[in-house]
Amino acid sequence: MRQPIVGHLDPFFFQVNEEIRGWLKLCFGTANEFTMVLSGTGSAGMECAITNFVEPGTKVAMFANGYFSDRLTEMARRHGAVIARFEKPWGETYTDAEARQFIAAEKPQVVAFVNAETSTGAHQPGHGICQAAHDAGALVIADCVTSLGGMPINVDECGIDVAYSGTQKALGCPPGLAPITCSPRALDWLRNRKESSVSWYLDLKLLLDYYESAHRYHHTAPISMFYALRESLAIIAEEGLDARFARHKANHEAFVAGLAELGVGMLVQPGHRLWTLNTPLVPEGVNELNVRKRLMAEHGIEIAGGLGPLAGKVFRIGTMGYGSSAENVKLLLETLGEALKAEGWKA
Ligand SMILES: *Cc1c(COP(=O)(O)O)cnc(C)c1O
């Protein structure tokens, strides 16, 4: 990020952008040529997906099982969507049969779900949702903010039409950019759209003109952030994607096994857990805020608490990107064990 900053129309910038695109396609698991980076955080990726593919009156089917599907709902609402929500308790996921039934009953034009729900630690791969949606002629939007770079997403194999992410989660980069990829089906949808999107800044048609074809000025890309993302992706390429996924899986599993030894359970059922974000249940009688304060004061370790209905009930602990290491897992198990004991937990 401290390298000299070139202009936003400099050929070198577009070269950096091309390298980013190539590596992002691998991380997303897609051959989509339409894979690019938005100037903004993960929420800009979310808003871009909504503003380009949801118009006033568009019927949106929302798989609602966490904080970020609520944010998607709110954005869709502001764009005038007609929304059907399939609510589930936070931490649960959807079976293929449930997804198919919901989509067949609602007949939506757009289906949205969160692939990696950071508020609950639940993983929804999405094959079943995408199949049912395509059978009903609907387009699928997937939030992949906490999975990209840490877990396989397989955008093409799943059939996800629009996937977005952010740089500061499992990609291990500073915050500030939002990768996004769109399928050929999504592009057809975009081309057939009559009214332009409400958002000028996140209008994918205008962004295409800047990044791809005409290289026409749209906005000033944050050049240094593009350097940072290019470097993060180079680090991922050096490690190798398979090795990186295996590292995330192994450290997540080691952490869960260590927690079990402490007598601490998990919110999410086995087989449906993220490798990047863990949600241990707060043990009976333990004050979770005191535990977090202790870890911060005594060890400089920051872990997060639960949001919404999970406030006070779970911890949220990231094992993603650079942070997913055997040393970190060991350190955290030791210090968390101490803090729980100090708060009266007898493991
Ligand atoms: C972090 C996150 C976002 C929002 O990203 P920001 O970078 O905070 O704007 C959206 N969805 C999920 C699942 C996230 O974890």
Side-chain angles (χ1 to χ4, degrees), residues 39-86:
S39 306
T41 64
S43 302
M46 187 187 284
E47 200 140 64
C48 180
I50 295 295
T51 199
N52 283 277
F53 298 100
V54 174
E55 296 180 74
T58 302
K59 176 93 186 255
V60 177
M62 190 72 67
F63 287 86
N65 59 346
Y67 180 89
F68 290 103
S69 45
D70 284 354
R71 184 175 294 184
L72 267 165
T73 305
E74 173 60 10
M75 285 184 185
R77 187 190 67 77
R78 290 183 183 210
H79 281 78
V82 177
I83 302 164
R85 280 165 59 90
F86 185 171

Coordinates of all heavy atoms in Angstrom, one line a residue, residues 39-86:
S39 N -15.4 -0.4 -5.2 CA -14.7 0.5 -4.2 C -15.7 0.7 -3.1 O -16.5 1.5 -3.1 CB -14.4 1.8 -4.9 OG -13.6 1.6 -6.0
G40 N -15.5 -0.1 -2.1 CA -16.3 -0.1 -0.9 C -16.2 -1.4 -0.1 O -15.6 -2.3 -0.6
T41 N -16.7 -1.5 1.1 CA -16.6 -2.7 1.9 C -17.6 -3.8 1.4 O -18.3 -3.6 0.5 CB -16.7 -2.4 3.4 OG1 -18.1 -2.0 3.6 CG2 -15.7 -1.3 3.8
G42 N -17.6 -4.9 2.2 CA -18.6 -6.0 1.8 C -20.0 -5.5 1.7 O -20.7 -6.0 0.8
S43 N -20.4 -4.5 2.5 CA -21.8 -4.0 2.4 C -22.0 -3.3 1.0 O -23.2 -3.3 0.5 CB -22.1 -3.0 3.5 OG -21.9 -3.7 4.7
A44 N -21.0 -2.8 0.4 CA -21.1 -2.2 -0.9 C -21.4 -3.3 -1.9 O -22.2 -3.2 -2.9 CB -19.9 -1.4 -1.3
G45 N -20.8 -4.5 -1.7 CA -21.0 -5.6 -2.6 C -22.5 -6.1 -2.4 O -23.1 -6.4 -3.4
M46 N -23.0 -6.1 -1.2 CA -24.4 -6.5 -1.0 C -25.3 -5.5 -1.6 O -26.2 -5.9 -2.4 CB -24.6 -6.5 0.6 CG -25.9 -7.0 1.0 SD -26.3 -6.8 2.8 CE -25.3 -8.1 3.5
E47 N -25.0 -4.2 -1.4 CA -25.9 -3.2 -2.0 C -25.9 -3.2 -3.5 O -26.9 -2.9 -4.2 CB -25.6 -1.8 -1.5 CG -26.7 -0.8 -1.6 CD -26.8 0.1 -0.4 OE1 -25.9 0.9 -0.1 OE2 -27.8 0.0 0.3
C48 N -24.7 -3.5 -4.1 CA -24.5 -3.6 -5.5 C -25.4 -4.7 -6.1 O -26.1 -4.5 -7.1 CB -23.1 -3.8 -5.9 SG -22.7 -3.9 -7.6
A49 N -25.3 -5.9 -5.4 CA -26.2 -7.0 -5.9 C -27.6 -6.6 -5.9 O -28.4 -6.9 -6.8 CB -25.9 -8.2 -5.0
I50 N -28.1 -6.0 -4.8 CA -29.5 -5.6 -4.7 C -29.9 -4.5 -5.7 O -30.8 -4.7 -6.4 CB -29.8 -5.1 -3.2 CG1 -29.6 -6.3 -2.2 CG2 -31.2 -4.5 -3.2 CD1 -30.6 -7.4 -2.4
T51 N -29.1 -3.5 -5.8 CA -29.5 -2.3 -6.6 C -29.5 -2.7 -8.1 O -30.3 -2.1 -8.9 CB -28.6 -1.1 -6.3 OG1 -29.3 0.1 -6.8 CG2 -27.3 -1.1 -7.0
N52 N -28.6 -3.6 -8.5 CA -28.6 -4.0 -9.9 C -29.6 -5.1 -10.3 O -30.0 -5.2 -11.5 CB -27.2 -4.5 -10.3 CG -26.3 -3.3 -10.5 OD1 -26.2 -2.7 -11.6 ND2 -25.5 -3.0 -9.5
F53 N -30.0 -5.9 -9.3 CA -30.9 -7.0 -9.7 C -32.3 -7.0 -9.0 O -33.1 -7.9 -9.2 CB -30.2 -8.3 -9.4 CG -28.9 -8.5 -10.2 CD1 -27.7 -8.2 -9.7 CD2 -29.0 -8.8 -11.6 CE1 -26.5 -8.3 -10.5 CE2 -27.9 -8.9 -12.3 CZ -26.6 -8.6 -11.8
V54 N -32.5 -6.0 -8.2 CA -33.9 -5.8 -7.6 C -34.4 -4.5 -7.9 O -33.8 -3.4 -7.7 CB -33.7 -6.0 -6.0 CG1 -35.1 -5.7 -5.4 CG2 -33.2 -7.4 -5.7
E55 N -35.6 -4.5 -8.5 CA -36.3 -3.3 -8.9 C -37.6 -3.1 -8.1 O -38.0 -4.1 -7.5 CB -36.6 -3.3 -10.4 CG -35.4 -3.4 -11.3 CD -35.8 -3.4 -12.8 OE1 -36.2 -2.4 -13.3 OE2 -35.7 -4.5 -13.4
P56 N -38.2 -2.0 -8.1 CA -39.5 -1.9 -7.4 C -40.5 -3.0 -7.9 O -40.6 -3.1 -9.1 CB -40.0 -0.5 -7.8 CG -38.8 0.3 -8.1 CD -37.8 -0.7 -8.7
G57 N -41.0 -3.7 -7.0 CA -42.0 -4.8 -7.3 C -41.4 -6.1 -7.6 O -42.1 -7.1 -7.7
T58 N -40.0 -6.2 -7.6 CA -39.4 -7.5 -7.8 C -39.7 -8.4 -6.6 O -39.6 -8.0 -5.4 CB -37.8 -7.4 -7.9 OG1 -37.5 -6.5 -9.0 CG2 -37.1 -8.7 -8.1
K59 N -40.1 -9.6 -6.9 CA -40.4 -10.6 -5.8 C -39.0 -11.2 -5.4 O -38.4 -11.9 -6.2 CB -41.4 -11.6 -6.3 CG -41.7 -12.7 -5.3 CD -42.9 -12.4 -4.4 CE -43.1 -13.4 -3.3 NZ -44.2 -14.3 -3.6
V60 N -38.7 -11.0 -4.1 CA -37.4 -11.6 -3.6 C -37.7 -12.6 -2.5 O -38.5 -12.3 -1.5 CB -36.5 -10.5 -3.0 CG1 -35.3 -11.0 -2.4 CG2 -36.2 -9.4 -4.0
A61 N -37.2 -13.8 -2.6 CA -37.3 -14.8 -1.6 C -36.0 -14.8 -0.8 O -34.9 -15.0 -1.3 CB -37.5 -16.2 -2.2
M62 N -36.2 -14.6 0.5 CA -35.0 -14.4 1.4 C -34.9 -15.6 2.4 O -35.8 -15.8 3.2 CB -35.2 -13.1 2.2 CG -34.0 -12.6 2.9 SD -32.6 -12.0 1.9 CE -33.4 -10.6 1.2
F63 N -33.8 -16.2 2.4 CA -33.5 -17.2 3.4 C -33.0 -16.5 4.7 O -31.8 -16.0 4.7 CB -32.5 -18.3 2.9 CG -33.2 -19.2 1.9 CD1 -33.2 -18.9 0.6 CD2 -33.8 -20.4 2.4 CE1 -33.9 -19.7 -0.3 CE2 -34.4 -21.2 1.4 CZ -34.4 -20.9 0.1
A64 N -33.8 -16.4 5.7 CA -33.6 -15.4 6.8 C -33.2 -16.2 8.1 O -34.0 -16.6 8.8 CB -34.8 -14.6 7.0
N65 N -31.9 -16.4 8.3 CA -31.4 -17.1 9.5 C -30.2 -16.4 10.1 O -29.4 -17.1 10.7 CB -31.1 -18.6 9.1 CG -30.0 -18.6 8.0 OD1 -29.6 -17.6 7.4 ND2 -29.4 -19.8 7.9
G66 N -30.2 -15.1 10.0 CA -29.1 -14.4 10.7 C -29.1 -12.9 10.4 O -29.9 -12.4 9.7
Y67 N -28.1 -12.2 11.0 CA -28.0 -10.8 11.0 C -27.8 -10.3 9.5 O -28.4 -9.2 9.2 CB -26.7 -10.4 11.8 CG -26.4 -9.0 11.9 CD1 -27.0 -8.2 12.9 CD2 -25.5 -8.4 11.0 CE1 -26.7 -6.8 13.0 CE2 -25.2 -7.0 11.1 CZ -25.8 -6.2 12.1 OH -25.5 -4.9 12.2
F68 N -27.0 -11.0 8.7 CA -26.7 -10.4 7.4 C -27.8 -10.7 6.4 O -28.0 -9.9 5.4 CB -25.3 -10.9 6.9 CG -24.2 -10.2 7.7 CD1 -23.6 -10.9 8.7 CD2 -23.9 -8.9 7.5 CE1 -22.6 -10.3 9.5 CE2 -23.0 -8.3 8.2 CZ -22.3 -9.0 9.2
S69 N -28.7 -11.7 6.6 CA -29.8 -11.9 5.8 C -30.9 -10.8 6.1 O -31.6 -10.3 5.3 CB -30.5 -13.3 5.9 OG -30.5 -13.7 7.2
D70 N -30.8 -10.3 7.4 CA -31.7 -9.2 7.8 C -31.2 -7.9 7.0 O -32.0 -7.1 6.6 CB -31.7 -9.0 9.3 CG -32.5 -10.0 10.0 OD1 -33.2 -10.8 9.3 OD2 -32.5 -10.0 11.3
R71 N -29.9 -7.7 6.9 CA -29.4 -6.5 6.2 C -29.8 -6.6 4.7 O -30.2 -5.6 4.2 CB -27.8 -6.5 6.4 CG -27.3 -5.2 5.7 CD -25.8 -5.0 6.0 NE -25.5 -4.8 7.4 CZ -24.3 -4.5 7.9 NH1 -23.2 -4.5 7.1 NH2 -24.1 -4.3 9.2
L72 N -29.7 -7.8 4.2 CA -30.1 -8.0 2.8 C -31.6 -7.6 2.6 O -32.0 -7.0 1.6 CB -29.9 -9.4 2.3 CG -28.6 -9.8 1.7 CD1 -28.4 -11.3 1.7 CD2 -28.5 -9.3 0.2
T73 N -32.4 -8.1 3.6 CA -33.8 -7.8 3.5 C -34.1 -6.3 3.5 O -34.9 -5.8 2.8 CB -34.5 -8.5 4.7 OG1 -34.2 -9.8 4.8 CG2 -36.0 -8.3 4.7
E74 N -33.4 -5.6 4.4 CA -33.5 -4.2 4.6 C -33.1 -3.4 3.3 O -33.8 -2.5 2.8 CB -32.7 -3.6 5.8 CG -32.7 -2.1 5.9 CD -34.0 -1.5 6.1 OE1 -35.0 -2.2 6.3 OE2 -34.1 -0.2 6.1
M75 N -32.1 -3.9 2.6 CA -31.7 -3.2 1.4 C -32.7 -3.5 0.3 O -33.0 -2.6 -0.5 CB -30.3 -3.8 0.9 CG -29.1 -3.2 1.8 SD -27.6 -3.8 1.1 CE -26.4 -3.1 2.3
A76 N -33.2 -4.7 0.2 CA -34.2 -5.1 -0.8 C -35.5 -4.3 -0.5 O -36.1 -3.8 -1.5 CB -34.5 -6.6 -0.7
R77 N -35.8 -4.1 0.7 CA -37.0 -3.3 1.1 C -36.9 -1.9 0.6 O -37.8 -1.3 0.0 CB -37.2 -3.3 2.6 CG -38.5 -2.7 3.1 CD -38.6 -2.5 4.6 NE -37.6 -1.5 5.1 CZ -37.7 -0.2 5.0 NH1 -38.8 0.3 4.4 NH2 -36.8 0.6 5.5
R78 N -35.7 -1.3 0.8 CA -35.5 0.1 0.4 C -35.5 0.2 -1.2 O -35.7 1.3 -1.7 CB -34.1 0.6 0.9 CG -34.1 0.8 2.4 CD -32.8 1.3 2.8 NE -32.8 1.4 4.3 CZ -32.1 2.4 4.9 NH1 -31.3 3.2 4.3 NH2 -32.1 2.4 6.2
H79 N -35.3 -0.9 -1.9 CA -35.4 -0.8 -3.3 C -36.8 -1.2 -3.8 O -37.0 -1.4 -5.0 CB -34.4 -1.8 -3.9 CG -33.0 -1.2 -4.0 ND1 -32.2 -1.2 -2.8 CD2 -32.3 -0.6 -4.9 CE1 -31.0 -0.6 -3.2 NE2 -31.1 -0.2 -4.4
G80 N -37.7 -1.3 -2.9 CA -39.1 -1.5 -3.3 C -39.5 -3.0 -3.6 O -40.5 -3.2 -4.3
A81 N -38.7 -3.9 -3.2 CA -39.0 -5.3 -3.4 C -40.2 -5.8 -2.7 O -40.5 -5.3 -1.6 CB -37.8 -6.2 -3.1
V82 N -40.8 -6.8 -3.2 CA -41.9 -7.6 -2.5 C -41.1 -8.8 -1.9 O -40.6 -9.6 -2.6 CB -43.0 -8.1 -3.4 CG1 -44.0 -8.9 -2.7 CG2 -43.6 -6.9 -4.1
I83 N -41.1 -8.8 -0.6 CA -40.2 -9.8 0.1 C -40.9 -10.9 0.8 O -41.8 -10.7 1.5 CB -39.2 -9.1 1.1 CG1 -38.4 -8.0 0.4 CG2 -38.3 -10.1 1.8 CD1 -37.8 -7.0 1.3
A84 N -40.5 -12.2 0.5 CA -41.0 -13.3 1.3 C -39.8 -13.9 2.1 O -38.7 -14.2 1.5 CB -41.5 -14.4 0.3
R85 N -40.0 -14.0 3.4 CA -38.9 -14.5 4.2 C -39.1 -15.9 4.7 O -40.2 -16.2 5.2 CB -38.6 -13.5 5.4 CG -37.8 -12.3 5.0 CD -38.0 -11.2 6.1 NE -37.5 -11.6 7.4 CZ -36.3 -11.5 7.9 NH1 -35.3 -11.0 7.1 NH2 -35.9 -11.9 9.1
F86 N -38.1 -16.7 4.6 CA -38.2 -18.1 5.2 C -37.3 -18.0 6.5 O -36.1 -18.1 6.4 CB -37.6 -19.1 4.2 CG -37.7 -20.5 4.7 CD1 -37.4 -21.5 3.8 CD2 -38.1 -20.9 6.0 CE1 -37.5 -22.9 4.2 CE2 -38.2 -22.2 6.4 CZ -37.9 -23.2 5.5

